[in-house]
Amino acid sequence: MVQRIYERWLQSLRQHPQRPAYLMIADLIGDGINTGEFQARDRLPPLRDLAVALELNYTTVTRGYAEARKRGLIDSRPGMGSFIRGKVPAIPLNGGSSYEMTMNSPIEPEMPDIAEMLRQGAISLFTQNDPFPLLRYQDFGGGTADKDAAMQWLGKRLPPMNSDEVLVCPGIHSALVGLLTLLGRKGGSICVGNLVYPGLKAIATQLGVPLHALDCDNDGPTPRSFENQCQAGSVSALYLNPTIHNPTTLTMPLRRRESLADVALRYSIPIIEDDAYAALPQLTAYQHPIPTFAELIPELTWYLTGLSKCFGAGLRIAYIKGPGKRSVQLLAGALRALTVMSSPITNALATQWISDGTADKVLQSIRSEAQVRQRLAAQHLHKFSYRADADGFHLWLILPRQYGWNPSDVAVKLREQGVSAVSSAAFSTDNNPPDALRLCLGGSNSRILCEENLIVVADMLEYPAHFSSVAL
């Protein structure tokens, strides 16, 4: 296949002798990325080999690669060659278990008493209430009882709020669709980190809303990069996932939150604070939670959290605290047009489980099991480089650079063996994905199976020869 590609390149060069050959090389690399012929992290042939294949001199091919780098199409590493940066797609939507393997699913509690609490809560809901109101159309944003439950759940992280600032929505993903629809009307870009939730990339692509990748360091997006973009006058919002970031597991420190909030305040830029994992961290009696952006600049922040990442992925419900009554009404209008309403039955179940304490018990069970599995990860992966949060259920594995592995190939290989792995390419917004994978420790896997999967990963890293088929 590779040989056919370069034979076609040679024919193109012969058919367009009027265009400088070095520019043609960059054009052909770009065309290959656009058509899917090349994927992110694919290795290009060495300069001398390509010069021979294309019947060109070494200097011309060198200039071609330099032009491709200038256009942001490729990266070159001394001693390792040149690689495609490319256009990084979101995770493809597949059906069945293969799709589940790409999702960061929460841990399913194996405690019989938890399952019984869920059953009893559902039975109580339907035996003590008239079911017909749950089958009718309702105003968007949830009824009084649902909003009370939402404020109870939001109150774990936020100060007291007014009910007219709160919406009950059919999942954080749907809420993001509504927010990007609403905020994208300004015509500017949504500023994001260089690695983000793949669902946001898919939403932005579908809506035609551009994402602008900010420079990042170990604390997240840098204030200088954000301010530079604000000064360009083309920013609609800043999207952040500040607690147990997906995929890097970073929890943004207070000093960085304050710096970004200061920039947003000076330029009046709305912040979308996706706090899907906010309920997971367990604080001791001597700790205080890091203030949210909704606390630092409530007049500009859309705060999103829900139950899918700390209860169960099938409970598609999200709670939004907006920057004021008028703004919340505008979002409610956008979401009603897109989703009509969240399911009253789902809302009622969530309200029942929050009110009777089941949600807190499920959360504690998930958190406790996550801590056990993170200790297993530390035990089996201690020789290798990875990032994790003690209360989270995913980790960010850094692949050894000396192996020259393509993360996408490694992820596929691991998923074939039952390991929930996703390549860095799925999260990348700057077309420069790092050599890393996100590993999920949750889902329907038991603790025993989780440990077996960690052993598979450790063996891959310690004995790379056994996984030579994934090498480039």
Side-chain angles (χ1 to χ4, degrees), residues 262-280:
D262 178 66
V263 175
L265 195 59
R266 284 190 282 113
Y267 291 91
S268 297
I269 302 298
I271 288 182
I272 302 171
E273 185 172 12
D274 182 353
D275 234 3
Y277 302 91
L280 291 175

Side-chain angles (χ1 to χ4, degrees), residues 192-210:
V192 296
N194 57 357
L195 296 165
V196 300
Y197 163 53
L200 185 78
K201 294 171 57 180
I203 293 167
T205 299
Q206 188 69 26
L207 297 178
V209 175

Side-chain angles (χ1 to χ4, degrees), residues 124-142:
S124 175
L125 171 67
F126 290 108
T127 56
Q128 297 181 19
N129 296 279
D130 181 358
F132 286 101
L134 302 180
L135 302 177
R136 298 171 187 156
Y137 286 111
Q138 298 184 6
D139 288 338
F140 190 88

Side-chain angles (χ1 to χ4, degrees), residues 180 183 189-193 200 212 214 221-223 225-227 230 235-241 252 256-257 259-261 263-264 269-274 293 297 300-302:
L180 263 64
L183 299 176
S189 61
I190 305 293
C191 286
V192 296
L200 185 78
H212 178 81
L214 300 175
T222 65
S225 178
F226 179 37
E227 182 156 20
C230 291
V235 178
S236 295
L238 170 64
Y239 169 87
L240 296 168
N241 172 204
M252 190 180 293
R256 179 55 53 85
R257 297 183 190 219
S259 297
L260 291 170
V263 175
I269 302 298
I271 288 182
I272 302 171
E273 185 172 12
D274 182 353
F293 285 89
I297 46 172
L300 285 173
T301 302
W302 293 95

Side-chain angles (χ1 to χ4, degrees), residues 32-210:
I33 292 170
N34 289 332
T35 62
E37 198 169 51
F38 291 132
Q39 300 295 319
R41 314 301 298 161
D42 282 350
R43 189 199 296 269
L44 290 168
L47 293 167
R48 295 191 185 280
D49 291 354
L50 187 60
V52 172
L54 300 183
E55 300 176 1
L56 297 171
N57 61 53
Y58 178 83
T59 302
T60 299
V61 175
T62 301
R63 290 184 66 191
Y65 276 18
E67 177 66 22
R69 281 195 301 275
K70 181 180 176 182
R71 299 182 191 181
L73 301 174
I74 68 172
D75 270 329
S76 297
R77 300 179 184 176
M80 296 189 66
S82 297
F83 300 82
I84 294 292
R85 293 181 71 181
K87 294 183 177 179
V88 182
I91 296 175
L93 299 181
N94 299 317
S97 60
S98 61
Y99 181 58
E100 183 181 352
M101 291 296 291
T102 67
M103 305 301 286
N104 197 24
S105 300
I107 294 163
E108 294 184 4
E110 297 182 50
M111 301 166 63
D113 59 325
I114 293 291
E116 183 60 25
M117 288 185 69
L118 292 172
R119 279 191 291 269
Q120 291 303 318
I123 291 170
S124 175
L125 171 67
F126 290 108
T127 56
Q128 297 181 19
N129 296 279
D130 181 358
F132 286 101
L134 302 180
L135 302 177
R136 298 171 187 156
Y137 286 111
Q138 298 184 6
D139 288 338
F140 190 88
T144 301
D146 300 326
K147 284 199 173 185
D148 287 345
M151 289 189 289
Q152 181 179 337
W153 196 257
L154 288 165
K156 295 176 181 295
R157 293 286 284 128
L158 303 182
M161 64 208 77
N162 297 321
S163 62
D164 56 14
E165 297 176 325
V166 173
L167 289 176
V168 180
C169 305
I172 291 178
H173 190 95
S174 296
L176 289 172
V177 173
L179 279 169
L180 263 64
T181 299
L182 181 66
L183 299 176
R185 294 171 185 169
K186 296 182 179 181
S189 61
I190 305 293
C191 286
V192 296
N194 57 357
L195 296 165
V196 300
Y197 163 53
L200 185 78
K201 294 171 57 180
I203 293 167
T205 299
Q206 188 69 26
L207 297 178
V209 175

